[in-house]
Amino acid sequence: MLDFFTIFSKGGIVLWCFQGAGVTESFTGPVNALIRSVILQERSGNNSFTHEALSLKYKLDNEFELIFVVGFQKILTLTYVDKFIDDVQLHFRDRYKNELEQKGALKLLNNSFEFENDFKMLLREAEDSSKARSPAPMRSFKESEKSQKTVKSMIETKGGDKGKEQGGKKNKNTKKEAPAVEPAKGDQGKASSSGQKMAENGNQGLTADEIMQKKREEFFRKRMVGTTEKPSKSPKPQKPREKQMRVWDMGGNSTKDLDYSERNGDGSTNGGEQNQEAQIDLGMQPSSMQGDLPSVDYESSEGEEMEDEDEEVVVSETSKTSSKKGGGFGGMFGMLKGLVGSKSLSQEDMEPVLEKMRDHLIAKNVAADIASQLCDSVAKKLEGKVMGTFTTVASTVKQALQDSLVQILQPKRRVDILRDVMEAQSQRRPFVITFCGVNGVGKSTNLAKISYWLIENGFTVLIAACDTFRAGAVEQLRTHQRRLNSLHPPEKHGGRPVVQLYEKGYGKDAAGIAMEAIAYARNQAFDVVLVDTAGRMQDNAPLMTALAKLIAVNMPDLVLFVGEALVGNEAVDQLVKFNQALADHSMSDKPRLIDGIVLTKFDTIDDKVGAAISMTYITGQPIVFVGTGQTYNDLRSLNARAVVSALMKA
């Protein structure tokens, strides 16, 4: 029934393995896929993983740094696997405890783990227990709740109905009645005692529900009497604030202040405009961006100091309260209250800390589902781990979560666009990058920033205007092209413009324009082709089909998803549906999905950087560029540790 079972350390040393009868394929492929896709990417909250035709279940032993993996055909439903893997873990730990406590890879390699007989015995017991467990038998009629009811309990008597109607009428009358005069204080005791007697006499023949209803009405009547005594003062109506006029910085009080026609020297308006443009150009001249992009920096020292102060305050408060209660030793016990002394962590110990961490991540704009999965993964990673003597649970969980977030944000593969462009140059072909994303996230603006960065590094760029839907999209790219060519005049590059725009107007097929642009770039020896596509919502099936067609036909070297840092849960939906559409509408067995992410508007979010975590966690792809402003220089690469420190800031 089982294809394989393997036990290996987190360092990659296989301690023991088993292969089922008739299984010839090696289990290294599925296990390596599990390590790459789940364990290294902090997705171990769920203990199952599917690879091709196999279903894998695994369990982490954090005390001895072991991983137990079982594999079987996914068409089978084996109910005993979860209990079986737990039994194997406990049995293996108990038997080889002394060998496992010896740290070091060489000592593990020198030891021999003979576990074949024990494993077969546990497997036989698990299979027998699953066969012996018969389905639950149906209950007979005598055992059901319906058989307990008698015929008498189902019949409603007329007297009971009349009583209910009378009770209902009484209740209606009592609602209308209201006490006219408040009784004197001296008569309150007599009235209450007589009222109790009247209530006892009046409650005869009423059901428990009707008595309860009467008591509620009396209670509300007394409250109404109490409230009528206190006259309520009506609040004075506040005057609405008048809207103040906005004063613009360069606004001027009269039309003469706004007339610049006579201040240009020659009096001509055209010359004045040219001079103004020249002045703006000199003032807005971007700095050089040769080489690799600078990384995003974030100062988190203040936040960490604040957190340390908070922890000290908590410790001091607990010590004060405990010293009041327990005398001189109370302060010491209060300080040591949150410390763990050489014990293994359990789920109950971590639950309150993880709950706070989950809320903190959601407040920092991480999608709610991903925050829960991250906390579950950290819990799985720490459960059973033996802590040091002077270590708090909160600091341990926080450090583990921090390491997990850094691991997620660090790229799993090499991302070096300059090197890839040079490699394409050696093959005498252009390097093609396609930009896709939803509406209004800044695809065209960041395409222009990347163009400027590539030009600064000595490459020629062809921009393919494949957004044939939005009005003004082609004109926007033409403006960027003119501006970039003014920053890098053709005279400095042998009379050839470093940026050209390839456009065919509006309403045309985007995939055809991209194909023609790539062919034109190959003929004219352009180094890079940047394909700008129309913004589309992830739910728009026709536009998603057109995007999948563009990518499938032209096969670009890099597909970048442009997403803004302002989104929260929406980032998950966007990326999942974009990837799903590219997979569904592709014509090949191995479809091209999103290769990287451009995170825009990063300068608008302060420390709420959770969208970076959400996007990277969903796709498993790196953040290649980060947009931090509106000028051509505002392009950065991601610094994982800076983003995580901003994310963990209080």
Side-chain angles (χ1 to χ4, degrees), residues 251-537:
N253 297 322
S254 64
T255 55
K256 292 181 180 179
D257 296 335
L258 302 175
D259 186 9
Y260 292 92
S261 60
E262 296 179 359
R263 303 179 192 179
N264 297 326
D266 56 352
S268 62
T269 57
N270 292 332
E273 287 175 4
Q274 289 174 0
N275 292 337
Q276 286 176 20
E277 283 182 7
Q279 290 172 5
I280 291 169
D281 282 346
L282 289 171
M284 295 179 64
Q285 184 77 20
S287 59
S288 176
M289 292 182 69
Q290 290 183 0
D292 292 332
L293 290 170
S295 60
V296 176
D297 292 326
Y298 193 89
E299 297 178 2
S300 60
S301 57
E302 295 179 4
E304 289 173 0
E305 288 172 4
M306 288 170 61
E307 288 180 5
D308 294 339
E309 289 173 4
D310 293 343
E311 287 180 3
E312 289 173 5
V313 168
V314 170
V315 170
S316 61
E317 285 178 357
T318 53
S319 61
K320 285 177 186 176
T321 54
S322 55
S323 61
K324 288 178 183 176
K325 293 180 182 178
F329 291 103
M332 182 64 71
F333 287 124
M335 289 180 70
L336 299 175
K337 186 178 178 183
L339 300 179
V340 180
S342 295
K343 65 168 250 185
S344 59
L345 277 176
S346 64
Q347 187 74 28
E348 289 76 19
D349 296 333
M350 296 182 286
E351 191 59 41
V353 182
L354 287 171
E355 195 64 37
K356 288 181 182 177
M357 290 289 179
R358 187 180 293 113
D359 295 341
H360 177 77
L361 290 175
I362 293 171
K364 293 284 185 175
N365 227 10
V366 180
D369 293 342
I370 291 167
S372 300
Q373 291 174 29
L374 277 171
C375 291
D376 292 344
S377 177
V378 169
K380 281 279 179 69
K381 189 199 262 184
L382 292 178
E383 190 175 4
K385 191 172 184 178
V386 177
M387 307 302 301
T389 305
F390 292 97
T391 311
T392 60
V393 177
S395 63
T396 306
V397 172
K398 181 182 174 183
Q399 187 60 43
L401 184 61
Q402 220 162 352
D403 295 341
S404 300
L405 293 172
V406 172
Q407 183 73 25
I408 287 167
L409 286 175
Q410 283 177 342
K412 312 300 180 296
R413 58 182 177 81
R414 181 184 59 82
V415 180
D416 192 347
I417 292 178
L418 297 179
R419 181 177 171 181
D420 293 339
V421 172
M422 293 171 71
E423 190 177 341
Q425 266 184 334
S426 64
Q427 299 172 5
R428 298 177 179 272
R429 66 175 185 85
F431 186 81
V432 183
I433 305 176
T434 300
F435 296 83
C436 62
V438 299
N439 308 75
V441 293
K443 289 185 294 300
S444 303
T445 304
N446 285 275
L447 181 145
K449 293 180 190 177
I450 295 167
S451 299
Y452 177 71
W453 174 62
L454 291 168
I455 294 163
E456 285 282 307
N457 285 280
F459 300 115
T460 55
V461 178
L462 178 68
I463 300 174
C466 295
D467 184 356
T468 61
F469 180 75
R470 176 172 65 91
V474 177
E475 286 76 10
Q476 181 184 3
L477 292 176
R478 189 177 289 116
T479 303
H480 280 302
Q481 177 223 354
R482 192 182 304 123
R483 171 77 175 150
L484 290 168
N485 280 324
S486 67
L487 293 172
H488 286 270
E491 294 80 22
K492 294 182 180 180
H493 298 274
R496 180 186 177 183
V498 289
V499 184
Q500 287 191 30
L501 178 68
Y502 190 91
E503 54 96 5
K504 292 291 182 181
Y506 295 98
K508 305 292 193 308
D509 180 33
I513 294 175
M515 183 181 288
E516 292 175 13
I518 294 168
Y520 179 79
R522 188 180 290 110
N523 295 331
Q524 299 296 321
F526 279 93
D527 300 322
V528 186
V529 178
L530 302 180
V531 181
D532 184 34
T533 62
R536 61 203 77 213
M537 294 306 293

Side-chain angles (χ1 to χ4, degrees), residues 509 511-512 544-554 582 585 587:
D509 180 33
M544 294 304 294
T545 308
L547 176 65
K549 176 189 171 187
L550 185 147
I551 293 172
V553 168
N554 295 288
L582 294 180
H585 302 295
M587 292 174 281

